[in-house]
Amino acid sequence: MRHRPPALVDTHSSFRHLTKGHRLQTSSLIGGKWVGSADGTTLAVTNPATDEVIARVQALGAAETRDAVDAAYRAGPRWASTTAAERGTLIARLATLMRRDVERLARLMTLEQGKPLAEARGEIGYAASFLDWAAEEGKRLKGEIIPASAADKRILVLRQPVGVTAIITPWNFPAAMITRKLGPALAAGCTVVIKPAEDTPLSALAIGELACEAGIPDGVINIITGKAAPIGDAMFDDPRVRKLSFTGSTEVGRMLMGKASKNLLRISLELGGHAPFIVFDDADMDRAVDAAVACKFRNAGQTCICANRFYVQAGVYDEFVSRFAVAIEGLRVGDGLSDGVQIGPLINDAAMEKVESHIQNATSLGGRLVVGGKRVRVDGHADRFYAPTLVAEMTPEMLVCREETFGPVAPVAKFNSESEAITRANDSEFGLAAYFFTRDASRLMRVAESLEYGIVGANDAAPSTAQAPFGGVKHSGLGREGGSHAMDEYSEIKYVSWRL
């Protein structure tokens, strides 16, 4: 490994102004050392709002990945042997440091990812909450004593850490998707190698710096930046890696699942979604409209659990579309660092092209463009802003009804009966999140049980929280993150038959 000191910003004026002298880490963390790539290659990190290159991070490859796995493997026994309380103290300290640096971390996130600064601040708090929860939950990871079938025997069930864990995270929530995995992995006694998304590595490296400051031992957390293929292949080829936790697309998840078979790697996959949002005619309309805006347009629609298909009962369809349109028109589009902005840029040009193709397809098949449907020009910025859009008269053959748009587009369809709404909502290969609004208690339970989704928001557009299990069914993934269930993902069960 080639060791380098932490890099300081000295060329990117906008970032230097915003961080006010704070260190910008661009090297990778392996075994407690900040290191560069063997051949000196780097990857540019670009602000999606301006196309400005704000930093260059190290482009590590297979050799450095093996170094990171080696560091995690060496650190594993000592970390696993510490008490749950000791691990919890260090994990909680990391959460405290993240909250201390919320402004710096939020601005960094907005620069590399584009989301409005208010949302970035919220994500830092959300990310810290996973660490807080895991710090306490690790103390409750307990085994069992089972009555034996013979007087001279005892049956013990132990819970032990899985071992070296590979964590691969996406660009849309560059802090929270790390801590949601990192917290329970560390609390269970695992060591980790984190591969953040190429678009948003700076948030991960900043968390790594705070982990060092928190006193988490060298090698327990390793963070490597670079291209996905060489890093991923090295992880899957190394038998010392015993667990993979991945958040990303279903397409990539399928590929990783195949690669994991080589070493029978334990996997958790949080994959794509295509969430239905159902409004029944007895719903509280004020609440439903407000929830629809929040659920659809958070992070410019670039979230795996945001609403993708809106189904509204015939009796309130016109009212909902009218009120939803007014609310959408009031959303402000612009650079996430500007005051009052609610919709930031899309992450890249491919994302913009997908949104436009979905709109073109919908309108060509009879969809009625109510609001939006065009790019928004922001002076001095990249051409990557899209107006929040409402398309009425959605039909099943439209792409917006079959594929995850991952942009600020809300397609709406009318339905008549409860059974029709459930059938149409379940008509998807995805099963991550679903939402519905009703004031009928009996209907609430019927619909919640009938929807084929891992997460259901009943009169609630924001169900994600650290203490609840997060994950999907069908092609939306395997395993759960959050709550006590997350600890199961990072621990093995060992049965000890003890003869006295």
Side-chain angles (χ1 to χ4, degrees), residues 12-15 18 45-55 107-115 334-338 344-349 376-385:
H12 308 296
S13 60
S14 66
F15 191 88
L18 290 166
V45 182
T46 303
N47 182 344
T50 64
D51 276 337
E52 178 187 12
V53 176
I54 58 174
R107 288 178 178 272
L108 175 59
M109 184 186 300
T110 296
L111 274 168
E112 67 173 348
Q113 199 274 335
K115 67 179 60 179
D335 189 322
L337 292 173
S338 299
L346 296 177
I347 189 66
N348 53 37
D349 293 336
V376 175
R377 308 296 177 183
V378 179
D379 290 343
H381 288 69
D383 187 15
R384 206 166 285 129
F385 298 86

Side-chain angles (χ1 to χ4, degrees), residues 242-273:
R242 297 309 312 145
K243 165 77 180 180
L244 166 72
S245 183
F246 169 79
T247 297
S249 71
T250 297
E251 179 183 10
V252 174
R254 291 191 187 102
M255 179 188 70
L256 296 182
M257 194 171 184
K259 289 178 177 291
S261 66
K262 177 179 180 180
N263 288 319
L264 295 180
L265 191 63
R266 285 186 59 170
I267 56 174
S268 300
L269 302 174
E270 195 260 282
L271 307 177

Side-chain angles (χ1 to χ4, degrees), residues 346-357 384 405-406:
L346 296 177
I347 189 66
N348 53 37
D349 293 336
M352 176 68 81
E353 291 167 5
K354 184 175 186 181
V355 167
E356 291 186 321
S357 70
R384 206 166 285 129
T405 303
F406 234 59

